[in-house]
């Protein structure tokens, strides 16, 4: 290390100290600041060393532990040659060089240690969405000085409280046309291998609900020691992890998750991560705005965090499913049901089944009941057409005490979005208003429309997204709700099915399903900037005709 005299000279020199910019989220959302997440209690001051670049140019490296930043300064008398990185961006340091392919590191088979060189492995934003890794070699004057810096930084990174320490990675070996394991090995594992203090266990799922059952039956000491669950597969595998963790947490806390009227469920102590290796990968595409595997791995490794809403589905006072994505009924539900017969086609099966379902043109008659969020500024009474006769709720003297509004109609689509729902088919998002963790559900209701109109409707969703579609298509009625229910009319031979996070949920013929929002119930390994500020309506649709309500 430099002597005290040299350190005193450096401290008297004027240099730039960069304070990390705090992230900003949507309204009523708790934000964990970068500086507080990465701060190491009891550590302060500056660590300074004079070093060289591999080209023998003299530099000075300063570790500002008050603000958790690294400054790399070229000693040529110019204040312009200064590079600053946050501690959040430092994945690790190594004493050996890494092979890096397009920003993705490769685990070395036989690392070759350098004598005096310390390699700083920083993650950086390659473009608007994607993150990659780059390596900065720093040559110290002595090996002992290099080892001191390496040990100190390694210890510091292990003590950063937001970074995961113990995670389980579930891989669906059949996900991504059987390429899920290769995706993990080639694009993900090296980031975890490089992260100091991170222990990870890989499990291959062998059957449906294998991951959920494993989590529920996990020994208490193993469960408490975990701080992350990661899925490498599609939205269905993530749903297994989500369901298992929530069931386990509520059972341990003595909460009745079966009761749809339960207002406060307990948040699991672990965070969730997804490496998208399925067909749609809508959850990871929404949280990160990309399905890039390396980007997902980076945010897991450095411990990025955002809070996400969850919706529970109940029947007969019993929990049947949990969703953190989108729930759709009618045409979209029938497309998924039909596509199950053509899984061998891969993602193309959805286009094929969409054509088949459009020809069949399913219409379902039923009653939707809902209660609005306090963020909703539209009165459904001013918009919705009258109920079809006979309406069971309209015939009741006091209506329904559980919900504030209802609509009995023939539906082409009933869609509920927990998150904006970005997919390859809806790149601009399916939801008109809801964000990530904003405490609302978007309930979209589309009454009976023609085949041609439905084709135009779906084309506009893909081209413009839900927000612009709401302004373009008068048939779409959308409200921000906190709970709702649906019950089909009993005289229909086929009650239809639901597309819940890419998995089929059968609709009971004579019973309603109840849907309940739980705001910010889970934490996700997702970038803070992914928090989408809730969208406000640019205009309000007028009522199409008179309507009778309870």
């Amino acid at each position: 290390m430099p002597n005290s005299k040299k350190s005193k000279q450096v401290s008297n020199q004027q240099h730039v100290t960069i304070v990390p910019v705090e992230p900003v989220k949507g309204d009523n959302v708790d934000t964990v600041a970068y500086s507080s997440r990465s701060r190491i209690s009891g550590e302060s001051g500056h660590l300074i060393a004079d070093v060289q670049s591999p080209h023998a140019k003299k530099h000075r490296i300063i570790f500002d532990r008050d603000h958790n930043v690294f400054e790399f300064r070229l000693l040529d008398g110019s204040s312009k040659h200064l590079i600053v990185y946050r501690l959040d961006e430092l994945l690790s340091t190594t004493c050996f060089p890494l092979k890096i392919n397009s920003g993705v590191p490769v685990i070395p088979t036989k690392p070759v240690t350098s004598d005096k060189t310390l390699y700083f492995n920083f993650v950086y934003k390659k473009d608007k969405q994607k993150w990659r890794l780059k390596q900065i070699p720093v040559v110290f004057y002595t090996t002992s000085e290099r080892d001191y810096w390496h040990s100190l930084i390694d210890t510091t990174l292990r003590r950063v409280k937001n970074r995961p320490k113990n995670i389980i990675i579930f891989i669906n070996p059949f996900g991504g046309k059987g390429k899920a394991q290769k995706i993990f090995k080639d694009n993900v594992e090296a980031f975890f291998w490089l992260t100091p203090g991170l222990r990870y266990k890989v499990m291959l799922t062998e059957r449906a609900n294998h991951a959920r059952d494993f989590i529920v039956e996990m020994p208490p000491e193993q469960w408490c020691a975990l701080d992350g669950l990661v899925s490498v597969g599609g939205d269905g595998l993530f749903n297994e992890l989500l369901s298992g963790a929530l069931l386990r947490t509520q059972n341990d806390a003595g909460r009745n998750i079966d009761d749809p009227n339960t207002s406060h469920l307990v948040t699991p102590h672990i965070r969730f991560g997804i490496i998208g290796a399925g067909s749609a990968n809508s959850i990871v595409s929404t949280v990160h705005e990309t399905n890039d595997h390396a980007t997902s791995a980076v945010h897991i490794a450095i411990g990025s965090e955002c809070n996400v809403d969850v919706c529970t589905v109940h029947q007969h006072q019993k929990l049947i499913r949990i969703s953190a994505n989108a729930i759709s009924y009618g045409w979209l539900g029938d497309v998924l049901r039909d596509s199950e017969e053509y899984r061998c086609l891969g993602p193309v099966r959805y286009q094929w089944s969409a054509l088949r379902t459009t020809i069949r043109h399913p219409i379902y008659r039923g009653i939707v009941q809902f209660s609005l969020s306090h963020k909703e500024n539209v009165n459904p009474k001013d918009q919705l057409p009258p109920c079809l006769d006979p309406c069971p709720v309209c015939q009741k003297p006091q209506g329904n005490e559980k919900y504030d509004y209802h609509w009995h109609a023939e539906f082409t689509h009933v869609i509920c979005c927990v998150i904006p729902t970005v997919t390859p088919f809806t790149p601009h998002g399916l939801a008109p208003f809801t964000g990530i963790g904003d405490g609302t559900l978007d309930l979209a209701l589309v009454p009976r429309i023609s085949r041609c109109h439905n084709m135009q409707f779906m084309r506009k969703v893909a081209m413009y997204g839900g927000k612009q579609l709401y302004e373009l298509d008068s048939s779409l009625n959308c409200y921000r709700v906190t709970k709702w229910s649906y019950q089909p009319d009993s005289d229909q031979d086929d009650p239809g099915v639901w597309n819940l996070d890419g998995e089929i949920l059968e609709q009971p013929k004579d019973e309603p399903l109840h849907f309940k929002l739980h705001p910010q119930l889970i934490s996700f390994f997702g970038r803070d900037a992914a928090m989408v500020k809730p969208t406000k309506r640019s205009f309000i649709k007028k009522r199409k005709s008179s309507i009778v309500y309870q």
Side-chain angles (χ1 to χ4, degrees), residues 30 34 56 71 110 154 185 263 268 371 421 444 458 528:
D30 295 331
Y34 278 125
E71 298 180 8
K110 294 182 180 180
D154 185 83
K185 288 290 185 183
S263 57
S371 295
T421 313
M458 297 309 299
D528 297 284

Side-chain angles (χ1 to χ4, degrees), residues 179-252:
K179 297 180 180 179
Q181 288 178 266
K182 187 177 188 323
I183 289 173
F184 176 73
K185 288 290 185 183
D186 294 348
N187 301 291
V188 176
E189 186 175 16
F191 288 101
F192 298 162
W193 183 82
L194 284 170
T195 305
L198 175 59
R199 294 180 297 159
Y200 62 92
K201 176 182 178 181
V202 178
M203 288 193 60
L204 301 181
T205 58
E206 300 173 353
R207 53 178 172 82
N209 293 324
H210 182 190
R212 186 196 67 180
D213 296 342
F214 180 87
I215 295 169
V216 172
E217 299 168 1
M218 192 183 301
E221 59 276 6
Q222 184 181 3
W223 168 249
C224 294
L226 281 178
D227 54 11
L229 295 173
V230 178
S231 68
V232 183
D235 295 332
L237 179 59
F238 169 74
N239 191 277
E240 286 191 33
L241 270 61
L242 173 65
S243 300
L246 285 179
L247 289 172
R248 176 67 182 263
T249 301
Q250 308 319 311
N251 289 336
D252 292 348

Side-chain angles (χ1 to χ4, degrees), residues 428-433 464-472 535-536:
H428 302 288
L430 181 61
F433 308 116
Y464 307 116
K467 180 183 177 182
Q468 292 192 40
L469 177 65
Y470 178 79
E471 302 175 0
L472 294 172
T535 305
K536 297 182 179 179

Side-chain angles (χ1 to χ4, degrees), residues 66 127 163 345 370 458 467 488 490 521 528:
D66 291 319
D127 51 35
R163 296 203 175 186
L345 299 179
F370 56 94
M458 297 309 299
K467 180 183 177 182
S490 58
L521 184 59
D528 297 284

Side-chain angles (χ1 to χ4, degrees), residues 39 43 76 285 298 429 448 458 484 519:
R39 189 176 300 281
E43 299 289 348
D76 61 351
S285 298
V298 165
R448 173 193 282 268
M458 297 309 299
W484 62 287

Side-chain angles (χ1 to χ4, degrees), residues 26 90 99 214 248 261 273 292 373 381 413 416 458 499 519 530:
L90 180 61
K99 180 181 179 182
F214 180 87
R248 176 67 182 263
N261 298 317
D292 181 67
S373 164
K381 295 180 180 179
H413 298 281
C416 172
M458 297 309 299
N499 179 341

